[in-house]
């Protein structure tokens, strides 16, 4: 890790360490994927968690279900790594961590842009209208009998959709595109890290409230949703997210509780 105060002139290392509960920062100017680096360095990272894998430029970001995550310069891309044994969440409630991460990003962005109607799309996308501003990839992995949870977060902050491939530009946006000015990336990162700690703790201290907030902000609730699960799809009325973090879809025949899947349509 660079010992200098500024990481690539982009991130303020001292401020990140003092204003969040991060204990170690693994910073590289460029990386293919912060989640992949987190997996590669998992053993040492687990000695000092929560740890942060951070880059100023990610070239091969990974998305959910094997998708690619596009990001250009100015995007915020990082992975938060924790020893699962240190999470204040029982193993049954672990799926809720993924939802808590979405809530945390929404909280942080709303603090920065209070008039912007940020919503969540299950399990943890953060959108404005139907344009995605943040994607989250949660992975679990074991090393030396220790289990890690890696939360990879990509937020379109100072990058612009003008530089994006057209299929992405059509369904995504950035804070810069919305506000017309850049944001201090350390400030955005610290805000997210602080809310992540708060929202993960809330899963134990106020689980009902955490679930209620997920449901209140989930754009899918009350909509007809098509979910792709493997090679098949289910279309039904979304009645919300249940106690286990599953998306609940009502079809003509039955209630489906879906633990994973890709939302391909909502109307
Ligand atoms: C998705 O919406 O499909 C999830 C996208 C997750 C992207 C972030 S960027 C930082 C971290 N590193 C990765 O390779 N992916 C996640």
């Amino acid at each position: 890790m660079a010992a200098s105060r500024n990481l690539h002139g982009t991130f303020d290392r001292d401020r990140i360490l003092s204003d969040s509960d991060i204990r170690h920062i693994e910073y590289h100017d460029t990386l293919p994927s912060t989640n992949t680096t987190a997996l590669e360095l998992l053993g040492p990272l687990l000695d000092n968690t929560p740890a942060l894998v951070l880059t100023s430029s990610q070239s091969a970001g990974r998305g959910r279900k094997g998708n690619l995550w596009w990001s250009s310069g100015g995007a915020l891309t990082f992975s938060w790594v924790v020893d699962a044994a240190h999470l204040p969440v029982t193993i049954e409630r672990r799926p809720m961590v993924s939802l808590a991460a979405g809530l945390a990003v929404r909280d942080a962005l709303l603090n920065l842009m209070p008039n912007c109607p940020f919503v969540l799309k299950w399990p943890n996308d953060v959108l404005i209208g139907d344009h995605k501003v943040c994607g989250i990839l949660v992975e679990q992995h074991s090393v030396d009998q220790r289990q890690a949870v890696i939360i990879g977060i990509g937020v379109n902050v100072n990058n612009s959709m003008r530089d994006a491939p057209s299929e992405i530009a059509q369904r995504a946006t950035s804070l810069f595109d919305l506000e017309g000015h850049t944001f201090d990336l350390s400030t955005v990162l610290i805000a997210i890290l602080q809310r992540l700690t708060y929202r993960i703790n809330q899963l134990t201290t106020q689980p009902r409230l955490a679930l209620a907030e997920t449901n209140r902000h989930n754009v899918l609730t009350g909509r007809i949703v098509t979910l792709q699960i493997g090679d098949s799809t289910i279309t039904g009325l979304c009645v919300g997210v249940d106690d286990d973090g599953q998306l609940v879809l009502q079809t003509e025949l039955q209630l489906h509780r879906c633990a994973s899947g890709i939302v391909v349509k909502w109307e």
Side-chain angles (χ1 to χ4, degrees):
M1 182 189 73
S4 64
R5 185 170 185 275
N6 283 312
L7 301 168
H8 194 62
T10 310
F11 293 101
D12 185 332
R13 176 182 180 275
D14 292 350
R15 194 150 67 89
I16 297 166
L17 289 171
S18 67
D19 292 2
S20 74
D21 61 359
I22 292 296
R23 297 178 61 201
H24 173 77
I25 302 175
E26 180 71 35
Y27 174 81
H28 298 264
D29 287 350
T30 62
L31 282 178
S33 153
T34 57
N35 267 40
T36 301
T37 300
L39 284 169
E40 287 164 359
L41 302 178
L42 203 50
L45 287 175
L46 279 178
D47 291 336
N48 224 354
T49 68
L52 187 67
V53 180
L54 179 64
T55 186
S56 294
S57 171
Q58 186 175 253
S59 55
R62 294 192 287 112
R64 295 176 59 234
K65 306 285 173 198
N67 290 330
L68 289 176
W69 176 256
W70 174 87
S71 48
S72 57
L76 178 61
T77 50
F78 65 94
S79 300
W80 183 86
V81 183
V82 72
D83 187 330
H86 299 163
L87 277 176
V89 178
T90 59
I91 194 145
E92 300 79 46
R93 299 201 66 76
R94 195 81 67 70
M96 294 299 290
V97 168
S98 168
L99 304 182
L103 270 176
V105 174
R106 181 183 175 275
D107 291 344
L109 299 187
L110 200 58
N111 273 335
L112 294 166
M113 293 168 53
N115 296 321
C116 205
F118 293 101
V119 291
L120 297 170
K121 177 163 77 71
W122 179 91
N124 50 27
D125 289 348
V126 182
L127 314 180
I128 297 155
D130 52 7
H131 285 69
K132 186 159 161 172
V133 73
C134 167
I136 300 177
L137 174 67
V138 179
E139 297 184 299
Q140 298 191 46
H141 205 78
S142 294
V143 61
D144 299 335
Q145 297 180 351
R146 289 182 299 179
Q147 230 201 355
V149 175
I150 300 167
I151 303 182
I153 298 183
V155 188
N156 296 323
V157 180
N158 296 330
N159 52 330
S160 171
M161 290 311 122
R162 279 183 303 219
D163 305 323
S166 63
E167 71 276 13
I168 291 172
Q170 279 165 25
R171 51 188 172 80
T173 188
S174 73
L175 303 192
F176 175 80
D177 286 341
L178 289 161
E179 292 287 279
H181 63 80
T182 58
F183 290 76
D184 177 64
L185 284 181
S186 299
T187 302
V188 181
L189 172 63
I190 291 166
I192 293 172
L193 293 171
Q194 290 176 344
R195 293 310 291 179
L196 195 55
T197 305
Y198 171 82
R199 287 294 183 182
I200 287 177
N201 285 330
Q202 189 187 42
L203 295 176
T204 303
T205 57
Q206 298 170 301
R208 301 235 146 261
L209 185 58
L211 184 63
E213 291 204 50
T214 298
N215 273 308
R216 184 174 331 134
H217 302 303
N218 179 16
V219 71
L220 302 180
T221 308
R223 313 278 282 268
I224 302 293
V225 171
T226 301
L227 190 70
Q228 185 180 338
I229 306 169
D231 291 338
S232 57
T233 58
I234 300 176
T235 298
L237 175 69
C238 175
V239 294
V241 175
D242 71 10
D243 283 359
D244 298 321
Q246 302 178 108
L247 190 72
V248 186
L249 296 182
Q250 176 74 66
T251 62
E252 271 181 34
L253 299 174
Q254 67 180 100
L255 209 56
H256 294 264
R257 293 177 185 279
C258 309
S260 68
I262 295 271
V263 174
V264 288
K265 202 161 113 189
W266 72 99
E267 53 200 341

